[in-house]
Amino acid sequence: QVQLVESGGGLVQAGGFLRLSCAASGLTFRLYAMAWFRQAPGKEREFVAGINWSGDSTYYADSVKGRFTISRDNAKNTLYLQMNSLKAEDTALYYCAARWSQSRTVTRVAVNDYNYWGQGTQVTVSS
């Protein structure tokens, strides 16, 4: 059974930082592209950042570019999202997602492109 478990969320002040983690099991992690999505109450789930199977190609939503960094450790089956300079509008439930891919680049940003999802971890940024 494929399982993705997010952790690291919490309450921080604007301008602060957090690091989210996603532990994957039940799949050969290195065969999957990974991504972070987020969803605020009453809003659609949106793409935040993606990373290819090897970790040498990344892509970011314009809203987080320059502030967030996605990375992965294939030896530990873990995905990360370093979140710096947090803003109130970053407040959302953050989801880890996976899709089979051995492409060298990241091109998939739609929710329906991903097959597996975690339960989410809450990030709340106070101003």
Side-chain angles (χ1 to χ4, degrees), residues 23 30 32 38 42 61 69 87 90 92 98 100 102 120:
R30 62 179 175 81
Y32 288 79
R38 66 187 182 186
T69 302
K87 305 175 180 179
D90 294 319
W100 184 92
Q102 290 294 285

Side-chain angles (χ1 to χ4, degrees), residues 49-69:
I51 189 166
N52 75 334
W53 70 272
S54 63
D56 60 4
S57 181
T58 59
Y59 185 75
Y60 299 91
D62 288 341
S63 59
V64 306
K65 196 172 299 181
R67 299 187 297 120
F68 291 8
T69 302

Side-chain angles (χ1 to χ4, degrees), residues 15-59:
F17 57 89
L18 285 172
R19 189 179 76 159
L20 306 184
S21 297
C22 171
S25 61
L27 79 174
T28 303
F29 190 63
R30 62 179 175 81
L31 300 182
Y32 288 79
M34 304 293 295
W36 289 97
F37 288 76
R38 66 187 182 186
Q39 187 169 21
K43 295 186 177 181
E44 298 293 320
R45 190 170 300 186
E46 65 176 359
F47 174 84
V48 175
I51 189 166
N52 75 334
W53 70 272
S54 63
D56 60 4
S57 181
T58 59
Y59 185 75

Side-chain angles (χ1 to χ4, degrees), residues 68-125:
F68 291 8
T69 302
I70 188 171
S71 62
R72 66 191 295 163
D73 187 338
N74 285 353
K76 296 182 178 180
N77 286 6
T78 303
L79 175 75
Y80 303 98
L81 184 68
Q82 180 66 48
M83 310 167 69
N84 298 328
S85 301
L86 285 162
K87 305 175 180 179
E89 53 262 43
D90 294 319
T91 295
L93 189 64
Y94 282 71
Y95 295 93
C96 172
R99 61 179 294 272
W100 184 92
S101 175
Q102 290 294 285
S103 296
R104 296 172 63 184
T105 58
V106 181
T107 59
R108 305 296 180 91
V109 299
V111 168
N112 289 343
D113 289 333
Y114 291 81
N115 305 108
Y116 304 107
W117 295 84
Q119 295 300 304
T121 185
Q122 180 67 40
V123 172
T124 302
V125 184

